[in-house]
Amino acid sequence: RKEVEQDPGPFNVPEGATVAFNCTYSNSASQSFFWYRQDCRKEPKLLMSVYSSGNEDGRFTAQLNRASQYISLLIRDSKLSDSATYLCVVNDAGGGADGLTFGKGTHLIIQP
Amino acid sequence: EADIYQTPRYLVIGTGKKITLECSQTMGHDKMYWYQQDPGMELHLIHYSYGVNSTEKGDLSSESTVSRIRTEHFPLTLESARPSHTSQYLCASSEYGGQTSIDGLNTDTQYFGPGTRLTVL
């Protein structure tokens, strides 16, 4: 069974701090990786794709570690608006719908 | 912003009623999906489609059915609603085999609609 594991949290973090969380995946043949953000009672929205070389978008940095089969998300200078659930998504099958697996999400709360 | 729409946004209905949840997208995406999500829980894939006249069941067994007669439209139907169907239903779409990253990884991004929150009394 394909699995994507995340620490559900909640992570309570003071505003301005740096926070990082990981996501592990079980299928070594997994091909693509994403972080989505989901606000309470809203739909998930793509935050960023995760490339082999890692990628950065403003305060957000995503890393992929294929050897240890995990991806990470780092948020610097956290804002109150960063409070949300962050979903790790792994695609195993070259774009096939049955290859897409969502983690249960990590709940992040940024405190003033 | 993604151009994917769902109606109704909220639906409260009695047991035994037939309902259809609408989903449409204007991006010309071949692949479309339906997910079910309970509050605070993970997404579960219930149906997907690779294109017109293609429908497949997802990981989570569901009593619902779907159809894909047009590329842009992927409705979900419950013939007889029950309280156990109470949940949020999210529709998504993506381009089939469309994108690759600079290192060759498939970056087949899914875009989600706003969801339909269904309550069956």
Side-chain angles (χ1 to χ4, degrees):
Chain A
R1 174 175 165 76
K2 298 171 286 188
E3 289 190 352
V4 174
E5 300 287 343
Q6 295 183 253
D7 184 339
F11 285 46
N12 290 283
V13 175
E15 190 177 9
T18 295
V19 59
F21 29 85
N22 290 345
C23 162
T24 60
Y25 59 95
S26 62
N27 186 353
S28 59
S30 296
Q31 295 199 8
S32 53
F33 311 87
F34 310 89
W35 283 104
Y36 277 73
R37 170 194 170 126
Q38 186 173 25
D39 293 301
C40 186
R41 303 175 77 85
K42 298 282 191 180
E43 74 273 23
K45 293 187 177 181
L46 179 69
L47 180 65
M48 57 201 309
S49 301
V50 187
Y51 305 142
S52 296
S53 56
N55 48 312
E56 185 174 316
D57 183 2
R59 298 181 293 109
F60 298 83
T61 300
Q63 296 281 350
L64 167 63
N65 186 317
R66 282 197 178 275
S68 300
Q69 292 183 206
Y70 74 86
I71 64 172
S72 63
L73 180 67
L74 177 83
I75 305 174
R76 289 181 297 278
D77 187 24
S78 53
K79 311 291 184 190
L80 296 175
S81 57
D82 294 334
S83 297
T85 296
Y86 291 84
L87 304 174
C88 172
V89 184
V90 176
N91 190 333
D92 295 318
D98 56 350
L100 203 67
T101 304
F102 282 78
K104 294 183 179 182
T106 295
H107 188 198
L108 175 65
I109 301 171
I110 305 299
Q111 297 174 326
Chain B
E1 292 292 319
D3 295 323
I4 180 165
Y5 309 98
Q6 290 184 244
T7 58
R9 293 291 309 278
Y10 303 91
L11 179 61
V12 180
I13 202 164
T15 296
K17 300 291 185 183
K18 178 180 178 179
I19 59 171
T20 296
L21 308 185
E22 302 288 349
C23 175
S24 59
Q25 49 94 7
T26 58
M27 296 173 283
H29 286 168
D30 290 315
K31 293 199 298 188
M32 295 188 74
Y33 315 78
W34 276 103
Y35 292 87
Q36 186 174 339
Q37 186 179 34
D38 293 322
M41 303 298 286
E42 68 267 40
L43 288 156
H44 290 288
L45 180 67
I46 52 175
H47 296 283
Y48 61 98
S49 166
Y50 287 109
V52 171
N53 294 326
S54 155
T55 61
E56 304 287 343
K57 290 191 179 293
D59 300 326
L60 182 69
S61 174
S62 174
E63 293 163 344
S64 58
T65 59
V66 291
S67 62
R68 190 86 184 276
I69 298 172
R70 302 199 315 265
T71 298
E72 62 272 20
H73 197 212
F74 191 41
L76 179 144
T77 298
L78 276 166
E79 290 293 332
S80 180
R82 296 207 299 270
S84 60
H85 296 139
T86 295
S87 189
Q88 172 158 270
Y89 292 84
L90 289 157
C91 181
S93 72
S94 66
E95 190 176 3
Y96 187 28
Q99 305 169 42
T100 55
S101 68
I102 55 175
D103 52 2
L105 292 177
N106 182 293
T107 58
D108 199 19
T109 305
Q110 287 194 2
Y111 297 94
F112 284 84
T116 293
R117 195 166 296 278
L118 173 65
T119 302
V120 184
L121 303 176

